[in-house]
Structure formats: C-alpha cells, structure tokens
Amino acid sequence: MKSVTFTIEGMHCDGCAQTVKAVISAEPGVKAADVSLQKGEARVLYDPQATSEDRLAAAVERPGYRVTARR
C-alpha cells in the first residue's frame, strides 16, 4: 500500500468534497480516501499494483477540480 496527499483547487462546498471522494474511491485499488474541504486536500491509500498517482489525479480533475501538488 502507498499513500499520497493531493492539494486540490476548486472545492467550494461539502458537495465538492464528496464528489472528489466519490471519484477517487471509485478507482480500482483505492482502499481509503479522506477529503478535507477546509485543508483543500485529499489523502488516499491505494495499491500501487492496481493504480497510480497519475491515474488518481486524473480522476480528481475529470469533474473540473485541479490537483496543484502531491506529497
């Protein structure tokens, strides 16, 4: 298992945070996702054999949000 924290721009409400959590959680290999509207970030625990940071970032950006940093 690996974890990554994405800094995300464009989340303005709890509905945005729930959307981000839903799209990340739907990706194969994701074991847990915690999205914080206040911090503007998402912490993701995932299986690197099933998905990648790039794929997870693309999932976040699909509905119109922007990943500005990873750590």
Side-chain angles (χ1 to χ4, degrees):
M1 287 291 153
K2 282 186 73 176
S3 66
V4 63
T5 300
F6 295 114
T7 302
I8 302 170
E9 285 184 355
M11 292 191 299
H12 302 291
C13 65
D14 286 333
C16 293
Q18 290 302 318
T19 297
V20 170
K21 183 173 182 168
V23 296
I24 291 172
S25 296
E27 288 297 311
V30 172
K31 301 301 178 196
D34 181 34
V35 180
S36 171
L37 174 63
Q38 291 76 20
K39 293 181 180 179
E41 65 183 28
R43 289 181 291 148
V44 185
L45 179 65
Y46 68 97
D47 179 355
Q49 299 296 320
T51 193
S52 67
E53 285 185 21
D54 289 341
R55 183 172 173 169
L56 296 172
V60 171
E61 293 182 341
R62 227 175 285 131
Y65 304 101
R66 186 168 164 235
V67 174
T68 59
R70 302 175 190 187
R71 61 180 193 283

